[in-house]
Amino acid sequence: MKHRLLQAGRLLPALEQRLATEYDLLRLADEADPDAFLARHGGDFTGLVTSAGGAGAPTALIAALPALRVISSFGVGLDKIDLAAARERGIAVGYTPDVLNDCVADTAFALLLDVARRTAEADRFVRAGRWAAGQAFGLGRKVSGARLGIVGLGRIGQTIARRAGGFDMDVRYHSRRPVAGVPWPHEPALRELARWADYLVIITAGGDETRHLIDDSVLDALGPRGFLINVARGSVIDEAALVRALVERRIAGAGLDVFEREPQVPAELLSLDNVVLLPHIASGTEETRQTMAARVLDNLTAFFTEGRLVSAAA
Ligand code: NAP
Ligand code: 8YV
């Protein structure tokens, strides 16, 4: 008999198809009244499949699934999963670390290069016929050889630091604990790192512990020549403070893949030329999303056949 699996939110179509073939799958998004459905049938499901940047596994959903034994999440962020509730109930939590490091690091550099060299803005300039009309486009800022501050030197942060070597950048990082065995200097004071950096890339975990880590004081330390890049979570930055700093030109610019209230982006940012905005696509390549989907399936298979996960969230 197939295991009964609940799907929260939408997933890659190919992954949804595989899940529907291998499991007795129910998509909660297809239900007209999800709460009423869960009240009647929540006890039927032993597995939950979800995504890190999408539905997650909030407290209420876990509570509505009394027979739940395993959660398999598409992505690495754990901020939308109530890990404490899962731990208390002995529910295994699988996720997809490492396989997306390259693409998220690449996106951090895409944003950094774009906002520094003004490529998206220059593209808009050409399309608007302004080059053809004889106007001159202004100068950007140099990336090669510049100072890169990384906030969070985990799996992705270290991949970003290695990429920076290719640009001859001077790299330093901030995290709560220094990372052993890496060549880059640890800066224990976040504000000092911001003061030093030309580019400050945010790639910490999300959640309560990092909420509004980047506030007015960090933005002021970064200053009018400094750029901010965020590929972590919108919650890590005080977005209202960031909007003010950008509007008042107290920082030079920002490249943002994530926002506090996705998919809503602060209206003030839409008209600013010194900001590059992406719709949470840092891991979004065919190759990486396929590998993430395979890990979601492998975690479920390993759990249901051997009682273990390939990648277990601590
Ligand atoms: P990871 O290996 O767990 O690294 C997380 C880093 O954050 C660690 O260096 C950790 O160091 C640091 N950190 C945690 N709390 C901190 C704090 N309060 N102050 C300073 N540093 C702190 O995770 P990862 O795989 O690199 O992924 C990082 C995050 O990227 C994920 O959690 C996810 O939210 C985000 N992400 C976003 C996308 C996207 O599409 N934009 C894609 C993938 C991942 P310490 O514990 O020593 O402080
Ligand atoms: C995905 C992410 O875009 O891994 C994460 O934490 O935020 C991203 O890789 C997301 O999981 C898909 O919703």
Side-chain angles (χ1 to χ4, degrees):
M1 220 177 67
K2 288 180 177 176
H3 296 281
R4 290 222 74 188
L5 199 64
L6 183 73
Q7 178 185 322
R10 297 314 301 246
L11 297 168
L12 209 61
L15 174 58
E16 291 194 357
Q17 264 170 26
R18 280 285 301 277
L19 289 166
T21 309
E22 294 179 25
Y23 296 93
D24 183 359
L25 183 75
L26 188 290
R27 296 191 188 103
L28 196 54
D30 291 343
E31 293 301 316
D33 186 344
D35 289 340
F37 174 84
L38 286 174
R40 271 200 310 279
H41 303 289
D44 298 349
F45 299 97
T46 50
L48 173 68
V49 62
T50 187
S51 64
T59 314
L61 181 56
I62 294 178
L65 303 171
L68 191 62
R69 294 168 54 211
V70 61
I71 297 170
S72 184
S73 180
F74 181 89
V76 70
L78 297 168
D79 48 307
K80 287 189 172 183
I81 299 177
D82 187 341
L83 282 182
R87 206 172 296 125
E88 199 172 300
R89 297 232 329 251
I91 299 165
V93 179
Y95 69 151
T96 69
D98 288 316
V99 298
L100 39 59
N101 295 352
D102 282 337
C103 282
V104 180
D106 293 352
T107 303
F109 264 94
L111 283 169
L112 193 157
L113 285 161
D114 194 339
V115 78
R117 299 301 309 272
R118 304 171 59 183
T119 51
E121 185 190 350
D123 176 83
R124 292 192 292 273
F125 177 86
V126 172
R127 286 169 198 266
R130 296 173 61 187
W131 191 31
Q135 291 184 28
F137 188 74
L139 301 177
R141 291 275 305 283
K142 187 172 178 180
V143 171
S144 292
R147 293 172 168 186
L148 176 67
I150 302 178
V151 185
L153 199 78
R155 292 168 291 241
I156 302 170
Q158 290 181 43
T159 312
I160 292 170
R162 286 194 296 274
R163 297 277 185 287
F167 288 91
D168 302 319
M169 295 180 94
D170 190 359
V171 176
R172 295 185 189 177
Y173 72 96
H174 168 78
S175 53
R176 289 167 300 181
R177 292 165 291 268
V179 180
V182 299
W184 311 288
H186 177 250
E187 171 51 72
L190 173 54
R191 244 172 289 172
E192 287 312 309
L193 184 73
R195 211 180 309 284
W196 170 84
D198 298 307
Y199 301 93
L200 191 68
V201 174
I202 315 304
I203 187 62
T204 62
D208 290 344
E209 294 196 353
T210 54
R211 191 176 146 70
H212 290 190
L213 194 64
I214 307 300
D215 59 10
D216 258 324
S217 72
V218 176
L219 295 168
D220 282 334
L222 186 59
R225 299 281 292 167
F227 293 91
L228 184 75
I229 312 297
N230 189 11
V231 284
R233 285 290 183 262
S235 59
V236 184
I237 297 180
D238 177 344
E239 202 166 80
L242 175 62
V243 169
R244 280 196 305 275
L246 285 164
V247 169
E248 294 163 10
R249 303 274 163 167
R250 286 189 285 116
I251 67 169
L256 307 171
D257 183 51
V258 285
F259 302 87
E260 278 200 311
R261 280 167 285 277
E262 295 176 10
Q264 305 305 323
V265 172
E268 297 94 321
L269 297 185
L270 302 178
S271 56
L272 294 182
D273 265 335
N274 58 338
V275 182
V276 179
L277 307 167
L278 300 182
H280 199 147
I281 56 162
S283 67
T285 63
E286 292 177 15
E287 295 86 346
T288 287
R289 289 283 169 88
Q290 275 168 23
T291 316
M292 290 164 67
R295 185 63 54 87
V296 167
L297 290 161
D298 289 348
N299 274 332
L300 287 169
T301 306
F303 181 82
F304 283 123
T305 58
E306 302 162 39
R308 66 176 185 94
L309 291 162
V310 178
S311 303

Coordinates of all heavy atoms in Angstrom, one line a residue, residues 76-77 79 100-101 104 152-157 174-177 203-206 209-210 213 231-233 257-258 280 282-283, ligand 1:
V76 N 16.7 24.6 1.7 CA 17.6 24.5 2.9 C 17.2 25.3 4.1 O 17.4 24.9 5.2 CB 19.1 24.8 2.4 CG1 19.2 26.3 2.2 CG2 20.0 24.3 3.5
G77 N 16.4 26.4 3.8 CA 16.0 27.2 5.0 C 15.0 26.5 5.8 O 14.1 25.8 5.4
D79 N 13.4 28.2 8.5 CA 12.7 29.3 9.3 C 11.2 29.1 9.2 O 10.5 29.6 10.1 CB 13.1 30.7 8.8 CG 13.1 30.8 7.3 OD1 13.7 30.0 6.6 OD2 12.4 31.7 6.8
L100 N 22.4 23.3 -3.5 CA 22.1 24.6 -4.1 C 23.1 25.6 -3.8 O 23.0 26.8 -4.2 CB 20.7 25.1 -3.6 CG 20.3 24.8 -2.1 CD1 21.2 25.4 -1.2 CD2 18.9 25.2 -1.9
N101 N 24.2 25.2 -3.1 CA 25.3 26.2 -2.8 C 25.7 27.0 -4.0 O 25.9 28.3 -4.0 CB 26.5 25.6 -2.1 CG 26.2 24.9 -0.8 OD1 25.1 25.1 -0.3 ND2 27.2 24.2 -0.3
V104 N 23.0 29.5 -5.5 CA 22.8 30.7 -4.6 C 24.0 31.6 -4.6 O 23.8 32.9 -4.7 CB 22.4 30.2 -3.2 CG1 22.1 31.5 -2.3 CG2 21.1 29.3 -3.3
G152 N 27.4 35.5 7.7 CA 27.0 34.1 7.6 C 28.0 33.3 6.7 O 27.9 33.4 5.5
L153 N 28.9 32.6 7.4 CA 29.9 31.8 6.6 C 29.6 30.3 6.7 O 30.5 29.5 7.1 CB 31.3 32.1 7.0 CG 32.3 31.8 5.9 CD1 32.4 32.8 4.8 CD2 33.8 31.6 6.5
G154 N 28.4 30.0 6.3 CA 28.0 28.5 6.3 C 28.3 27.9 5.0 O 29.2 28.4 4.3
R155 N 27.5 27.0 4.6 CA 27.7 26.3 3.3 C 27.7 27.2 2.1 O 28.6 27.2 1.3 CB 26.6 25.2 3.1 CG 26.7 24.0 4.1 CD 25.4 23.2 4.0 NE 24.3 23.9 4.5 CZ 23.6 23.5 5.5 NH1 23.8 22.4 6.2 NH2 22.5 24.2 6.0
I156 N 26.7 28.1 2.1 CA 26.6 29.0 0.9 C 27.6 30.2 1.1 O 28.3 30.6 0.1 CB 25.2 29.5 0.8 CG1 24.2 28.4 0.6 CG2 25.1 30.5 -0.4 CD1 22.7 28.7 0.6
G157 N 27.7 30.7 2.3 CA 28.7 31.8 2.6 C 30.1 31.4 2.1 O 30.8 32.2 1.5
H174 N 31.4 37.8 9.1 CA 30.9 37.8 10.5 C 29.9 36.7 10.7 O 29.1 36.4 9.8 CB 30.1 39.1 10.7 CG 29.3 39.1 12.0 ND1 29.9 39.3 13.2 CD2 28.0 38.9 12.2 CE1 28.9 39.2 14.1 NE2 27.8 38.9 13.5
S175 N 30.1 36.0 11.8 CA 29.1 35.0 12.2 C 29.3 35.0 13.7 O 30.2 35.6 14.3 CB 29.3 33.6 11.6 OG 30.7 33.3 11.8
R176 N 28.4 34.2 14.4 CA 28.5 34.3 15.9 C 29.8 33.6 16.4 O 30.4 34.0 17.3 CB 27.2 33.6 16.5 CG 26.0 34.5 16.4 CD 24.8 33.7 16.7 NE 24.6 32.5 15.8 CZ 23.6 31.7 15.9 NH1 22.7 31.9 16.8 NH2 23.5 30.7 15.1
R177 N 30.1 32.5 15.7 CA 31.4 31.8 16.0 C 32.3 31.8 14.8 O 31.8 31.6 13.7 CB 31.1 30.3 16.4 CG 30.3 30.2 17.7 CD 29.7 28.8 17.8 NE 28.6 28.6 16.8 CZ 27.4 28.8 17.0 NH1 27.0 29.2 18.2 NH2 26.4 28.6 16.1
I203 N 23.9 36.1 4.1 CA 23.6 34.8 3.8 C 23.6 33.9 5.1 O 24.2 32.9 5.2 CB 24.5 34.2 2.7 CG1 24.1 32.8 2.3 CG2 26.0 34.3 3.0 CD1 22.7 32.6 1.7
T204 N 23.0 34.5 6.1 CA 22.7 33.8 7.4 C 21.5 33.0 7.3 O 20.7 33.1 6.3 CB 22.5 34.8 8.6 OG1 21.3 35.5 8.2 CG2 23.6 35.7 8.8
A205 N 21.2 32.1 8.3 CA 19.9 31.5 8.4 C 18.9 32.6 8.7 O 19.2 33.7 9.1 CB 19.9 30.5 9.6
G206 N 17.6 32.3 8.4 CA 16.5 33.2 8.8 C 16.0 32.9 10.2 O 16.7 32.3 11.0
E209 N 16.3 34.3 15.4 CA 17.6 34.7 15.9 C 18.3 35.7 15.0 O 19.3 36.4 15.5 CB 18.5 33.4 16.0 CG 18.0 32.5 17.1 CD 19.0 31.5 17.5 OE1 20.1 31.4 16.9 OE2 18.7 30.7 18.4
T210 N 17.9 35.8 13.8 CA 18.6 36.8 12.9 C 17.6 37.9 12.4 O 18.0 38.7 11.6 CB 19.1 36.1 11.6 OG1 18.0 35.4 11.0 CG2 20.2 35.2 11.9
L213 N 18.7 41.7 12.0 CA 20.1 41.8 12.2 C 20.7 43.0 11.5 O 21.6 43.7 12.0 CB 20.8 40.5 11.7 CG 22.2 40.1 12.1 CD1 22.3 39.9 13.6 CD2 22.6 38.9 11.4
V231 N 20.7 37.4 -0.1 CA 20.1 36.2 -0.7 C 19.7 35.2 0.4 O 19.6 34.0 0.2 CB 21.2 35.5 -1.6 CG1 21.3 36.2 -3.0 CG2 22.6 35.4 -1.0
A232 N 19.6 35.7 1.7 CA 19.2 34.9 2.8 C 17.7 34.8 3.0 O 17.0 34.0 2.4 CB 19.9 35.4 4.0
R233 N 17.2 35.7 3.8 CA 15.8 35.8 4.1 C 15.4 37.3 4.3 O 16.2 38.0 4.9 CB 15.3 35.1 5.3 CG 15.3 33.5 5.1 CD 14.1 33.1 4.2 NE 14.0 31.7 4.1 CZ 14.4 31.0 3.0 NH1 15.1 31.6 2.1 NH2 14.2 29.7 3.0
D257 N 17.1 39.4 -3.4 CA 16.4 38.2 -3.9 C 15.2 37.9 -3.0 O 14.4 37.2 -3.4 CB 17.4 37.0 -4.0 CG 16.7 35.8 -4.5 OD1 16.1 35.9 -5.6 OD2 16.8 34.7 -3.9
V258 N 15.3 38.4 -1.7 CA 14.3 38.0 -0.7 C 13.7 39.2 0.0 O 14.4 40.2 0.1 CB 14.9 37.0 0.3 CG1 15.1 35.6 -0.3 CG2 16.2 37.5 0.8
H280 N 12.9 35.9 -5.5 CA 13.4 34.7 -4.7 C 13.8 33.5 -5.7 O 13.1 32.5 -5.6 CB 12.3 34.3 -3.8 CG 12.8 33.4 -2.7 ND1 12.2 33.4 -1.4 CD2 13.7 32.5 -2.6 CE1 12.8 32.5 -0.6 NE2 13.8 31.9 -1.4
A282 N 17.2 32.5 -6.2 CA 18.6 32.3 -6.1 C 19.0 30.8 -6.4 O 20.1 30.5 -7.0 CB 19.1 32.6 -4.7
S283 N 18.2 29.9 -6.1 CA 18.5 28.4 -6.4 C 17.8 28.0 -7.7 O 17.9 26.8 -8.1 CB 18.0 27.5 -5.3 OG 16.6 27.5 -5.2
Ligands
NAP1 P1 24.2 27.2 7.0 O1 25.3 26.4 6.5 O2 23.5 26.7 8.2 O3 24.9 28.7 7.4 C1 24.2 29.6 8.1 C2 25.2 30.7 8.6 O4 24.5 31.7 9.3 C3 26.2 30.2 9.6 O5 27.5 30.7 9.2 C4 25.8 30.7 10.9 O6 27.0 30.9 11.8 C5 25.2 32.1 10.5 N1 24.3 32.7 11.5 C6 23.2 32.1 12.0 N2 22.7 33.0 12.9 C7 23.5 34.1 12.9 C8 23.5 35.3 13.6 N3 22.5 35.5 14.6 N4 24.4 36.2 13.4 C9 25.4 35.9 12.5 N5 25.5 34.8 11.7 C10 24.5 33.9 12.0 O7 23.2 27.6 5.9 P2 23.3 27.7 4.3 O8 23.1 26.4 3.7 O9 24.6 28.5 4.0 O10 22.0 28.6 4.0 C11 21.9 29.9 4.6 C12 20.5 30.4 4.4 O11 20.4 30.9 3.1 C13 19.4 29.4 4.6 O12 19.0 29.3 6.0 C14 18.2 30.1 3.8 O13 17.4 30.8 4.6 C15 19.0 31.0 2.8 N6 18.8 30.5 1.4 C16 18.1 31.3 0.5 C17 17.9 30.9 -0.8 C18 17.3 31.8 -1.8 O14 16.6 31.3 -2.7 N7 17.4 33.1 -1.7 C19 18.4 29.7 -1.2 C20 19.0 28.9 -0.3 C21 19.2 29.3 1.0 P3 26.9 30.9 13.4 O15 25.9 29.9 13.8 O16 28.3 30.7 13.8 O17 26.4 32.3 13.7

